[in-house]
Structures are given as structure tokens and as C-alpha cells.
Amino acid sequence: MLENIHVKNLALIKEIDIAMGPGLLIVTGETGAGKSLIMGSVAIGLGAKVPKDFISEGAEEALVELTFRNPSPAVRNLLTENGIEASSDEILIQRMIRPKRTVNRINFQTVNLALLRQVGAYLIQMHGQHDNQILLDERMHIKILDRYGGTPVREARTAYEELHRRYRTLDAEIRTLTEQRKTRDTDMDYCNYVLREIDEAAVVIGEDDALRTTYRTAVARKNAYEDLLAAYAALDRGTADALAETVRILERTATTGEAYQNVYDIAVESEILIQNLQADLRNLIDADDYDDEMFQKMDARIDVLNHLKRKYGGTLEAVLAHRDEVAERLDALADSEERLTAMTAEREKAETALAEAAKILRARRVAAARQLEKEITAVLEELHFLQVVFEVRFTEYDGFGSDGTDGVSFYISLNVGHKPKPLADVSSGGELSRIMLALQSVITDMFDMESMIFDEIDAGISGKTAVMVARRLKAMGRRGQIICITHAPQIAAAGDRHFKIHKQVADGMTTTCLTPLNETEHLAEVARLLGGMEVTDATLANARELIQSMDKSVPPADAGGKRRE
């Protein structure tokens, strides 16, 4: 519900701050006082385009603030989905209008214009212009009809939706299998290759860790063994023979002198040491159990495991998990033709059942549509549309949509000889407002919409018709909040609260003001509307009688709209 309107520096409005409230709220004023500014300000607050040069003369910026109380769950969800705090029972919408830029905020968070308009469409319905009206959105008409249709339509729709979900699931699976068929042979070859590669490797969890430890020891032993061979080979390349030759040569000169003998003795000792070294190296080589063939196999095994890990997940656990996935996929591919045939047959059965459910849903919708046509036509005739034709038209679509096979549109003709046309094509603001009033009074409890604004609803009507319009508005006000801008005394007399808009001049500047009226002022304003500028005792008496008659004769809160259970 719209709780407060605060407008500053917008057109002729210097500043107004008005608390609203529930019930039927009436706004009146003399011609030219600027009654349309109220609706325009609310529309701008909810995202309507700001007219050029709409900022008050001399001001740098304008402000519109709208405070709403107890928003519906749909509004809370929409705000939460868009990251806006919605935990309190209050929503504050602000539009700061500057010459080159407009800033939009909801609960003090900056939002784009699209979201502002989307939220606004849930908060309030504005009748008298074509903006912000859910009822003019043809996409909503089928939902309106289904809600109006009550239990019969709801049960038929639920049955259809359950079958539709099953049908769509089958259809999606069939499309997937059909697409897989194109690459089935290639996929099966690939799966078989992966299974063969992993299975032939005979992977064992933990094997790579154990191999790494064993491999480090084996590498150390391999290096030691190769060093022994290299050392033996170095000696074998001539060192021992050279020493033997040295000994033979020095033996001839050993007796020559002591120095010669010493050199000879050293050569003999060296030859013995080299012979012993060779023998020791040979013994070590012969005794070493290093197995080069085993080492090469271990090295190759590590390469195989590392290759599999690089290809299939980084660990042996991932390799085996991938193997299981591929095996399942191979089984699925092997069974795909059989599954495709079975699913196709199942989808045909589901399609037959779905088509039957769609027929039942349409039949119940048609029955509800004929009743809705009668109810809305009766209300429209009450509101002085004497030659009105209201139709709910159906369009049958190919295929199965989420709403069935039907499209639903509301059509209306207001004059004899004129074909009905779409509801959104009604051009007259006054006619559109009364049509919306008729629709809302019949289906008002089908929405979470507590606030509505009607402008120009009294255009071209008076007398009994104005009384009927007033009674409809007052009855709807008992369910929520109705704001009505009017110059009809009958409608003004029905108000629960009354605001008067007027112009005043101060400091050489004309401004528009909105003032709440007390009971005496309310009576005087209704009398003014009845009798013109001069309020007499007679017009006051007539106004009092009119107000009292409205209080007594308004239908109960559930009049007009019936939920068909």
C-alpha cells in the first residue's frame, strides 16, 4: 500500500509530503489546479519518462519519494533476487531528477530504470494511462482467466502441467540420444580405447608411490654399479700392464745402487696393489645383484603410470574413476538404440495424454471465459457502457506450451457496429479507467495488488452512472487502497479520505499544493462539486445526503468479484 508521497521541485509543486492510508482516497480541485500532477508524480516515481523541463523553475533538481507499506511476497522476492534489502515492511522508492541525469533508488540502493519499472508494476496499478498496467499485458490474460476459473481450471491446469513436465523430459532425452547417435560409433571406439589402455596397464592404487620409493633406491644402486664398471675398465685400459713393464725395466737396474733399489721396490708394491685392486673390483662387480633389465622395466612402468595420470585426472584414483565413467558411458551407448526406441514410444503415449489434457483445460477455460464475459459485461453496463461487447478470445497454438495450447486475449467494443479490438487499443483515458475498474472489481482478489490509482474515470459520466462508479470504487477501497482523481461529486462523496489540490502564489511564484480535508472541509468540497463555485445551505444539505447515501448503500467488501472455487 502507498503510505506516503513526497514530491519536491517538480513542475508547479514546490514541496508536498502527504500521508495516504487505506480505503478510497479522493483528490479533487478546480480546473487547472494540477490534479494530473499527482498521478504524474507517482508515475515518475515508478519509472515513467520525465518530461523535458519538468524541474521547477529555479531549482537544480527535483525529488519524488514514494513509501510503500507491507509489500507482497512477489515484490520481496523480486527485490531479494536483485540484491536489495527487503526484510522490513517498508519500501522506499526515490527518484532524484537532474537536467542531465536521473538517479533511481530502492531502499537506498541505486537501481536501473528497468528494475524500478518492474517493481513499480507490482506495487500499484495506474488507470488513466497505458503505462504500468498489468491488465493491459496480453501475456497476463491467460493467468487472469485461469485464476478466475477457480478449482475446475486449476485442477485441469495442474494435470496438464504434470504431463507437460514428463513430456518435456522425454523429449529432451530423445533429442540427446538422437544427437549422440550421430557420433555413436566414434564415441564407442574412443571408450573402448580408453578402457583397453587403462585395463592393460592393470593400475593398482598406491602403486605409483611405492614405485617412486623403490625407484630412488634402484637409481642409487645403478649409479654405484656403473661406477664400479667404469673404475675396473679404467684400470683395464693399461694401468696394470704399464706397471708390469715398469717392474721389468727397473729390475735390471735394481742392483746398481740403493736409490735404484728403492724405486724398484715401490714399483713392485704398486703392481701388487693394482692387482689386488683389480681383484677386489672384480669381486664387487661379480657379487653385486643389480638387475638392469628389472630397472628398465621399473622405469617403463613409471612412464606408463605418469602418462595415464596426465591424461585422466592427475592421480591413479582419478584414472580408475574415469575408467568407470567411460565404462558406464559405453554401456549407455550400447543401449542407446534400444532406449531411443522405448523412449520414442513412451513420448508418443505422453503426447496423446497431453493433448487430451490440453483439450480438457481449454474446455474448462472456455466455460470460465463465457462466465467472465457475462460478469464483466454486467459491470460495464452498470458503468454506463450500454452497448458494450466484452470477449475472451482464444488462439490455438501448435505444440505444447507451459500454459497449454491456448493463447488468451481480452477484446472489447464500446459502440454498436464496431468490431471488438484488443483491450490495450482503447484510446480514451476515461473509458479505459472505467473498463479497468470493471475488470478489477471482478478479479481484484486475484492479485497481490493493494494500491490502484484511477484518473479520468468520471469522464463523460454523471448521475446514476457516477453513483455506480463511486460504489464500485468504495467497495474496492474496503479491500485495499484506491486513489481516485475526480471532479464528480458522487465519487468524491464516497471517499474515506479527501485531498484537495489547489494553486497558490507566494513571493511571485505559483505553486501547487495538496491538502488533506477534515470532515467539514470534505462536505464543503462535495458541495462545491455539486453546485459550482458558490456553496449554499442547499448544496451543503445535498452533499451531506449524498455522503450518507454512499456510506449506507455501498455493497459489502466481497461484492463484484467472485473467486470460483
Side-chain angles (χ1 to χ4, degrees):
M1 180 180 70
L2 180 60
E3 186 175 66
N4 190 271
I5 301 175
H6 180 209
V7 182
K8 186 176 182 180
N9 297 331
L10 194 66
L12 295 179
I13 299 174
K14 183 177 181 181
E15 185 167 18
I16 61 172
D17 193 278
I18 296 293
M20 307 304 284
L24 175 59
L25 313 182
I26 297 297
V27 178
T28 59
E30 297 176 7
T31 302
K35 294 188 293 296
S36 60
L37 277 177
I38 301 304
M39 188 163 185
S41 297
V42 175
I44 287 172
L46 297 179
K49 184 178 180 180
V50 182
K52 189 178 180 181
D53 301 326
F54 217 52
I55 299 175
S56 299
E57 189 172 341
E60 295 182 356
E61 61 186 22
L63 173 67
V64 178
E65 288 185 336
L66 305 175
T67 305
F68 291 86
R69 178 68 65 180
N70 297 324
S72 68
V75 175
R76 291 179 186 273
N77 291 339
L78 182 59
L79 293 178
T80 301
E81 288 168 5
N82 286 275
I84 298 172
E85 173 60 38
S87 59
S88 73
D89 292 332
E90 185 175 280
I91 292 178
L92 177 63
I93 291 179
Q94 299 167 303
R95 288 197 83 189
M96 185 69 72
I97 302 156
R98 301 187 178 100
K100 294 185 178 180
R101 183 169 177 257
T102 297
V103 179
N104 315 307
R105 292 190 179 95
I106 299 178
N107 288 351
F108 303 103
Q109 291 181 240
T110 302
V111 299
N112 59 40
L113 190 58
L115 178 59
L116 177 62
R117 288 174 175 170
Q118 191 177 2
V119 172
Y122 279 101
L123 290 172
I124 193 165
Q125 281 285 288
M126 307 184 69
H127 303 298
Q129 55 180 23
H130 285 70
D131 299 331
N132 253 357
Q133 294 195 24
I134 289 178
L135 290 176
L136 294 182
D137 184 351
E138 258 191 24
R139 294 170 299 180
M140 290 295 297
H141 293 177
I142 194 166
K143 293 178 173 58
I144 291 169
L145 179 62
D146 285 356
R147 290 286 295 271
Y148 175 82
T151 301
V153 174
R154 183 171 61 249
E155 289 178 348
R157 178 163 183 144
T158 299
Y160 173 86
E161 288 172 343
E162 290 175 356
L163 289 168
H164 185 247
R165 280 192 291 272
R166 177 58 181 158
Y167 175 80
R168 288 190 62 185
T169 299
L170 288 169
D171 195 56
E173 290 179 358
I174 287 170
R175 283 199 302 271
T176 300
L177 289 174
T178 302
E179 192 65 28
Q180 287 177 349
R181 177 194 273 173
K182 298 176 184 177
T183 58
R184 178 175 175 270
D185 291 343
T186 302
D187 289 345
M188 290 187 72
D189 287 344
Y190 172 75
C191 289
N192 280 317
Y193 163 77
V194 172
L195 291 178
R196 187 166 55 252
E197 183 179 35
I198 295 175
D199 289 346
E200 286 178 355
V203 173
V204 177
I205 300 297
E207 179 185 4
D208 52 344
D209 293 332
L211 271 176
R212 276 195 296 271
T213 301
T214 305
Y215 185 73
R216 283 194 293 269
T217 302
V219 167
R221 293 195 62 188
K222 175 178 181 295
N223 292 337
Y225 182 76
E226 289 176 347
D227 287 344
L228 287 174
L229 291 176
Y232 188 85
L235 289 176
D236 203 41
R237 281 197 297 269
T239 302
D241 292 341
L243 276 172
E245 180 65 20
T246 299
V247 169
R248 283 195 298 274
I249 293 171
L250 291 176
E251 184 178 13
R252 294 196 295 268
T253 61
T255 58
T256 304
E258 185 178 350
Y260 290 98
Q261 182 65 44
N262 290 338
V263 170
Y264 171 71
D265 291 341
I266 292 172
V268 171
E269 289 177 7
S270 296
E271 182 182 23
I272 294 169
L273 286 172
I274 289 298
Q275 290 173 348
N276 291 338
L277 177 60
Q278 277 187 308
D280 290 342
L281 286 173
R282 183 73 262 170
N283 291 335
L284 284 173
I285 291 171
D286 292 342
D288 199 309
D289 61 354
Y290 168 73
D291 188 340
D292 188 62
E293 183 179 353
M294 182 64 70
F295 180 84
Q296 297 302 326
K297 288 181 180 179
M298 186 187 307
D299 197 44
R301 180 62 175 172
I302 290 173
D303 286 344
V304 168
L305 296 180
N306 287 339
H307 172 72
L308 291 177
K309 288 192 291 185
R310 283 193 298 270
K311 286 181 70 174
Y312 303 124
T315 66
L316 293 184
E317 289 85 352
V319 170
L320 292 178
H322 183 70
R323 187 256 177 226
D324 293 341
E325 291 173 6
V326 170
E328 289 180 7
R329 184 178 172 190
L330 185 62
D331 290 341
L333 287 169
D335 295 341
S336 61
E337 283 300 317
E338 187 176 330
R339 288 173 59 217
L340 181 59
T341 301
M343 282 189 177
T344 301
E346 192 174 350
R347 183 181 62 177
E348 289 175 0
K349 292 180 182 178
E351 186 172 353
T352 300
L354 189 58
E356 183 61 29
K359 288 180 182 178
I360 293 171
L361 177 57
R362 185 169 209 214
R364 295 186 183 181
R365 279 175 172 161
V366 169
R370 300 295 84 88
Q371 183 62 30
L372 180 62
E373 288 171 344
K374 290 177 184 178
E375 285 200 44
I376 290 179
T377 299
V379 176
L380 287 169
E381 288 174 347
E382 243 181 49
L383 301 179
H384 203 62
F385 291 107
L386 302 180
Q387 303 295 331
V388 68
V389 175
F390 178 82
E391 294 180 354
V392 180
R393 293 190 178 181
F394 287 82
T395 303
E396 189 166 5
Y397 297 119
D398 293 330
F400 301 100
S402 58
D403 291 320
T405 56
D406 302 324
V408 171
S409 303
F410 295 161
Y411 276 66
I412 195 165
S413 171
L414 304 176
N415 301 292
V416 175
H418 289 260
K419 293 181 179 179
K421 57 186 178 180
L423 195 60
D425 290 347
V426 176
S427 58
S428 165
E431 289 177 340
L432 180 61
S433 290
R434 280 186 284 147
I435 293 167
M436 292 299 104
L437 173 61
L439 286 168
Q440 290 281 11
S441 66
V442 171
I443 62 173
T444 188
D445 60 345
M446 297 181 188
F447 298 94
D448 292 324
M449 190 72 62
E450 291 189 351
S451 299
M452 284 175 271
I453 297 180
F454 288 90
D455 191 15
E456 302 182 37
I457 197 168
D458 50 17
I461 65 169
S462 59
K464 182 180 179 181
T465 302
V467 170
M468 297 309 299
V469 169
R471 288 176 177 174
R472 286 279 169 184
L473 288 169
K474 191 169 184 69
M476 289 174 64
R478 289 180 175 177
R479 302 187 188 103
Q481 180 191 62
I482 307 296
I483 302 169
C484 185
I485 302 166
T486 184
H487 58 71
Q490 297 88 344
I491 295 174
D496 298 303
R497 295 188 68 195
H498 195 151
F499 301 87
K500 185 175 181 179
I501 193 161
H502 59 93
K503 288 182 180 178
Q504 66 180 22
V505 179
D507 299 325
M509 183 70 68
T510 301
T511 59
T512 292
C513 301
L514 186 67
T515 305
L517 303 183
N518 59 32
E519 189 174 338
T520 301
E521 292 166 334
H522 168 55
L523 176 64
E525 180 65 5
V526 174
R528 183 189 69 79
L529 294 172
L530 279 169
M533 293 301 296
E534 186 177 352
V535 177
T536 65
D537 290 341
T539 55
L540 283 172
N542 288 340
R544 186 176 292 107
E545 184 180 351
L546 182 58
I547 292 170
Q548 290 172 351
S549 69
M550 285 295 171
D551 289 338
K552 292 178 182 178
S553 60
V554 171
D558 60 349
K562 299 193 245 329
R563 290 290 291 276
R564 298 172 70 242
E565 301 299 339

